[in-house]
Amino acid sequence: MSRWEPGAAERLHTAALELALEHGFAAITVPQITARAGLTTRTFFRHFTDKREVLFTGESVLPTVMAQVFASAAPDLTPMEVIATSLRDVVAPRFDGLRDYLRLLRGVIRSDEGLRERELRKRSLIAEAGAAGFRDRGLNDLEATLAAQLAATVIDVAVGRWLDEDTERPLADIILETTTAMQAVVTRPS
Amino acid sequence: MSRWEPGAAERLHTAALELALEHGFAAITVPQITARAGLTTRTFFRHFTDKREVLFTGESVLPTVMAQVFASAAPDLTPMEVIATSLRDVVAPRFDGLRDYLRLLRGVIRSDEGLRERELRKRSLIAEAGAAGFRDRGLNDLEATLAAQLAATVIDVAVGRWLDEDTERPLADIILETTTAMQAVVTRPS
DNA sequence: GTCTATATCGCGATAGAC
DNA sequence: GTCTATCGCGATATAGAC
């Protein structure tokens, strides 16, 4: 048995989310968070570079997920097909079951400007990882960048709508709806 | 004649940019910036909500520019046509002449994680303003959101490439190249 | 304009895992 | 022994209150 309870980062995350839900993120302090998790302030900053970061754990898996997305895509698919099928098959399963938690978290993030800003980094990381994947598939720099931005937009918008709805429609359905709408917007005839 | 030299915000911006170029943004302090601008620390925080903000003045015009973009677009244009022609006619002229300054500023922003994060907010503001504009043109929520994200991506990518190139190719040319590539990525046949 | 809270981080020590 | 996670103390700058 160790000197410390395991899962310090996760306990800090839970404590921070609970406190933020109760009092608002701006109103709580790092000492408050660490007190609830049974740790010290100094320890907090060893796990997270700043106060906001504690709400964005688990985000580090996103580039990994994007790598999976492209590894699992058939080589003859067009960029939009890669986006549509891969997000449906690889991303959606990862989010299933997290809906209630993600709704709570999103509520906190939306209520704080600093957190909203921090959240935009997630999209940026997705787009970066995606661009590398599309370049590996043979697209040139410009096309790879644009395709990855499209993918990031689809994830962002689809997950947002998935969390918005009262009925829990499968994320995979919403992803397909979103990619279809994207095609329509770009190819719409005058 | 007033008690203060005019243009406090602009002087602070210039001082901050110069100091950041010399020492790196993280290494400089607000008192250093205000000292160079001949002001007090308190005055700094009256003009800017935080230290990073001083490098992002002028950004507040972006929603206005986006409003212009949609006001000036012919009503029968498709979303992609609105993006292509409006960015070329309204956005590009606004950036002309700022290239050297923007390259310097971008160098500073790229070198600091906090500033990179803050910059993503610009894209977010553009997308929000754009979505409102596309809704006004009759697109439904989903399509308006996607079209605005496309527009934000085109601006981002096109301006980035414009600043990257050694030869000063007109921004309008690069915008057209970017929208063309976007169409190709989405409509590419298998 | 002054005062103060608190976010942030450097350093040294400690305690267990291996 | 080394490695890693933690603690405690202290310093500084941001940022907001008064």
Side-chain angles (χ1 to χ4, degrees), chain A residues 73-131:
Chain A
D76 60 332
L77 295 182
T78 66
M80 276 305 286
E81 287 169 343
V82 171
I83 293 171
T85 65
S86 300
L87 294 190
R88 183 194 60 204
D89 296 342
V90 180
V91 175
R94 290 221 165 227
F95 280 81
D96 279 333
L98 298 177
R99 191 162 173 271
D100 290 339
Y101 159 73
L102 288 175
R103 281 165 70 102
L104 280 181
L105 186 59
R106 190 177 64 155
V108 172
I109 291 170
R110 280 185 169 172
S111 69
D112 184 274
E113 172 56 36
L115 293 175
R116 275 200 301 275
E117 196 174 296
R118 174 66 185 72
E119 200 197 14
L120 294 173
R121 197 185 150 197
K122 200 165 37 185
R123 188 190 190 286
S124 180
L125 291 173
I126 291 171
E128 260 177 61

Side-chain angles (χ1 to χ4, degrees), chain A residues 168-181:
Chain A
E168 189 165 352
R169 191 153 58 108
L171 177 54
D173 288 3
I174 301 181
I175 286 174
L176 285 180
E177 174 186 272
T178 305
T179 52
T180 303

Side-chain angles (χ1 to χ4, degrees), chain A residues 52 117 123 143 187-188, chain B residues 52 117 123 143 188:
Chain A
R52 295 172 297 158
E117 196 174 296
R123 188 190 190 286
E143 291 176 336
T187 65
R188 186 194 303 282
Chain B
R52 295 172 298 158
E117 197 175 295
R123 188 190 191 286
E143 291 175 336
R188 186 195 304 281

Side-chain angles (χ1 to χ4, degrees), chain A residues 6 8 20-21 27 36 44-45 47 53 61 66 89 95 98 106 112 116 120 123-124 128 150 157-158 163 182 185 190:
Chain A
L21 284 167
R36 182 173 291 211
F44 181 96
F45 286 103
H47 286 276
E53 192 72 12
V61 306
M66 286 306 282
D89 296 342
F95 280 81
L98 298 177
R106 190 177 64 155
D112 184 274
R116 275 200 301 275
L120 294 173
R123 188 190 190 286
S124 180
E128 260 177 61
L150 286 174
V157 171
L163 295 178
M182 180 73 88
V185 166
S190 41

